[in-house]
Amino acid sequence: MQDPLQDSAGSVSPPASSPQAPADASWERKTLERLAFAALEEQRTARRWKVRIRLLWLALFAVLLWMAYREMPDSASISTPHTALIEIRGEIAADTEASSQFLLGSLRSAFEDKGAKAVVLLINSPGGSPVQAGIINDEIHRLKKLHDKPVYAVVEETCASAAYYIAAAADQIYVDKASIVGSIGVLMDGFGFTGLMDKVGVERRLLTAGVNKGFLDPFSPQNATHRAYAQDMLNEIHAQFIDVVRTGRGDRLKETPELFSGLAWSGQKAIALGLADDYGSLDQVAREVVKAEDIVDYTQHENVASRLAKRFGAGVGESAMQLMQRATPVLR
């Protein structure tokens, strides 16, 4: 029988090439091309995202610069006669914008500028720390003496307690007839948890080195000696407050038994008691008293980075720590 691979002459013919080989090579080439294109597209996408992120950071940086620039006083305005404005808003405390950290720098800038004809304190605050208020009051007196420049306080809604402690350093105090003014007193508040602890069966185990180290511990029964000591301290700070008001207001005060009792009065009553001088708004005082209608704001504010951090929750831990702090004297 003749071999099919041999011809009639007996020579061997080469096998026919498989028709599937070119198709397989074409498929592999197309697959490699797809993979290569996919890798290139992935690289392009990654580069695009990098560019977008960089542009986003650049835009954020530009916004921060713009916001910082907006907070700076206008140098063109400062070169001409103007009224220097410093705002005191909210609680007066070490961790707020109404603190000596911010306000002392604002005061110095305003007093040192030769274009500022007077400094106006625009106040809307319920009070706060006697320490912060005392530092600010002392600095106002020092700068007034150094630069011979008048200071006016303009009250919006509230000028109470520590805020009035600061306002007392002004040469004149202007209010609205419905403003809340005064509250010349001191308080120290806190909570006692001993009854609750007894109910839930919790025992306080406090160890101290120093007989008074557990002073006003909220988890221990109140000690009569400690209470008397705290009251003496409050009375001392209250006396300091009264002395500041008497020094600042002088013979304009119409002293009554209630004047230094911690009560607050309307702006109308405050004028009658000598705690304020007249009615007036910021614009009115700048126009009619200072005689410089242009108002330049010297108030220093918290920087943008800190503001953003607090907005996104970085201040939560700090707030929790504040809640755990023991009571301290507050002018309210």
Side-chain angles (χ1 to χ4, degrees):
M1 182 176 180
Q2 186 178 1
D3 191 331
L5 297 179
Q6 293 180 345
D7 56 15
S8 57
S11 61
V12 178
S13 301
S17 60
S18 173
Q20 190 67 25
D24 290 343
S26 175
W27 178 85
E28 290 175 356
R29 185 170 58 253
K30 289 180 179 179
T31 302
L32 290 173
E33 288 176 352
R34 290 194 193 100
L35 291 173
F37 282 127
L40 287 173
E41 184 61 27
E42 186 176 353
Q43 291 178 0
R44 291 194 190 103
T45 303
R47 282 197 297 268
R48 282 196 292 267
W49 274 109
K50 286 181 181 179
V51 171
R52 290 171 184 169
I53 291 172
R54 288 171 182 170
L55 289 174
L56 182 62
W57 278 111
L58 183 62
L60 179 60
F61 181 70
V63 170
L64 294 177
L65 283 179
W66 176 73
M67 293 177 69
Y69 177 77
R70 285 189 61 193
E71 293 177 355
M72 295 174 60
D74 185 358
S75 58
S77 299
I78 294 175
S79 63
T80 59
H82 61 272
T83 297
L85 167 66
I86 297 175
E87 295 189 38
I88 302 175
R89 296 187 179 277
E91 182 183 6
I92 298 167
D95 57 349
T96 68
E97 290 189 356
S99 67
S100 59
Q101 175 188 356
F102 288 98
L103 292 177
L104 263 58
S106 304
L107 287 166
R108 289 165 188 161
S109 297
F111 273 97
E112 290 170 2
D113 193 282
K114 294 181 180 179
K117 298 305 177 186
V119 177
V120 174
L121 308 175
L122 185 62
I123 301 175
N124 185 12
S125 169
S129 165
V131 175
Q132 296 296 312
I135 293 172
I136 297 165
N137 181 285
D138 291 343
E139 184 66 4
I140 292 173
H141 281 294
R142 186 187 74 84
L143 291 171
K144 281 170 57 178
K145 184 177 180 181
L146 181 64
H147 297 280
D148 192 26
K149 191 173 292 188
V151 177
Y152 304 108
V154 175
V155 179
E156 292 187 322
E157 279 78 11
T158 306
C159 179
S161 206
Y164 191 80
Y165 196 119
I166 296 172
D171 296 292
Q172 289 182 307
I173 300 175
Y174 294 88
V175 298
D176 183 86
K177 58 182 176 295
S179 298
I180 302 300
V181 182
S183 186
I184 302 170
V186 188
L187 65 81
M188 177 186 289
D189 56 358
F191 297 92
F193 297 98
T194 54
L196 177 62
M197 292 168 63
D198 291 340
K199 288 182 179 180
V200 298
V202 177
E203 179 188 1
R204 172 67 162 169
R205 296 175 180 176
L206 177 64
L207 303 177
T208 65
V211 66
N212 293 311
K213 190 59 180 177
F215 178 66
L216 296 182
D217 174 45
F219 300 102
S220 300
Q222 193 172 56
N223 183 305
T225 302
H226 289 173
R227 180 183 176 87
Y229 181 85
Q231 187 61 56
D232 288 342
M233 183 169 57
L234 294 178
N235 292 340
E236 182 180 355
I237 298 172
H238 190 208
Q240 296 168 3
F241 192 178
I242 293 171
D243 183 62
V244 165
V245 174
R246 283 174 172 160
T247 300
R249 301 301 297 166
D251 57 8
R252 288 173 289 185
L253 281 178
K254 310 295 190 298
E255 292 199 25
T256 67
E258 293 82 18
L259 187 64
F260 302 127
S261 68
L263 288 175
W265 291 273
S266 67
Q268 181 177 354
K269 184 66 173 178
I271 293 175
L273 291 171
L275 293 172
D277 296 285
D278 204 349
Y279 300 125
S281 64
L282 171 62
D283 291 335
Q284 182 180 351
V285 170
R287 181 178 60 252
E288 299 177 9
V289 180
V290 183
K291 308 296 184 183
E293 291 191 56
D294 291 337
I295 299 172
V296 177
D297 190 354
Y298 287 80
T299 311
Q300 294 183 5
H301 297 284
E302 189 176 27
N303 63 62
V304 178
S306 297
R307 220 176 299 166
L308 289 174
K310 286 186 177 180
R311 179 169 296 181
F312 286 101
V316 172
E318 183 180 353
S319 299
M321 290 299 295
Q322 289 175 353
L323 290 174
M324 297 174 65
Q325 287 179 347
R326 294 184 181 177
T328 54
V330 177
L331 299 180
R332 285 180 184 160

